[in-house]
Amino acid sequence: MFPLRSKLFAFVVAALATVAFVGIAEAGWVTIKNDTNKAVVVQEVTDVNGKKVRGKPTKLLAGESFREFQNTAGTKTYEVVDAANTATSLWSGPLNCKADTQSFSVTSTKGTVTVTPIPEPPKKP
């Protein structure tokens, strides 16, 4: 008797449900820039059943950067190794990947490699 009205009602309910839960599925891009003077390899490391599983390695020359999409916010563990000697780990540790876009810098000071967050520029109102 009301086929058009019931279809319209179902569409409106589905649209409202989609809009209501958009905030839950937030994700962001993680950018890692090599600010050292040598080539490094960056890769994500996850723990699966007590074993370290390494993600896809990305080689970064001096000044290069890469972006990786993170579908969920949280703490991710990364490892930075020397590209000339991949057996040598230069830095390994957790990075707090927020739900929005985040940038990190790989730097070298006095022979020690560190990865630090780059502050986001203030957003214009």
Side-chain angles (χ1 to χ4, degrees):
M1 183 169 174
F2 302 124
L4 182 59
R5 186 178 290 178
S6 65
K7 288 181 184 178
L8 180 63
F9 178 72
F11 175 75
V12 169
V13 168
L16 289 175
T18 301
V19 171
F21 295 109
V22 161
I24 294 174
E26 291 179 357
W29 289 91
V30 173
T31 304
I32 298 178
K33 183 176 181 191
N34 181 7
D35 288 325
T36 66
N37 59 358
K38 61 182 175 180
V40 296
V41 176
V42 178
Q43 64 187 138
E44 185 177 353
V45 180
T46 56
D47 187 33
V48 178
N49 295 330
K51 294 183 181 179
K52 287 187 177 182
V53 177
R54 289 174 169 70
K56 179 183 174 188
T58 303
K59 182 178 180 180
L60 298 175
L61 299 175
E64 286 187 331
S65 62
F66 85 99
R67 290 180 60 173
E68 182 175 68
F69 183 75
Q70 299 290 337
N71 55 358
T72 58
T75 303
K76 310 285 184 183
T77 303
Y78 284 91
E79 184 174 38
V80 178
V81 297
D82 188 359
N85 182 9
T86 55
T88 305
S89 178
L90 301 173
W91 181 88
S92 180
L95 296 178
N96 186 15
C97 302
K98 302 183 227 172
D100 55 353
T101 301
Q102 178 119 19
S103 299
F104 296 95
S105 173
V106 179
T107 57
S108 177
T109 52
K110 297 180 183 178
T112 304
V113 174
T114 59
V115 179
T116 55
I118 298 172
E120 292 293 320
K123 296 181 181 179
K124 295 180 182 178

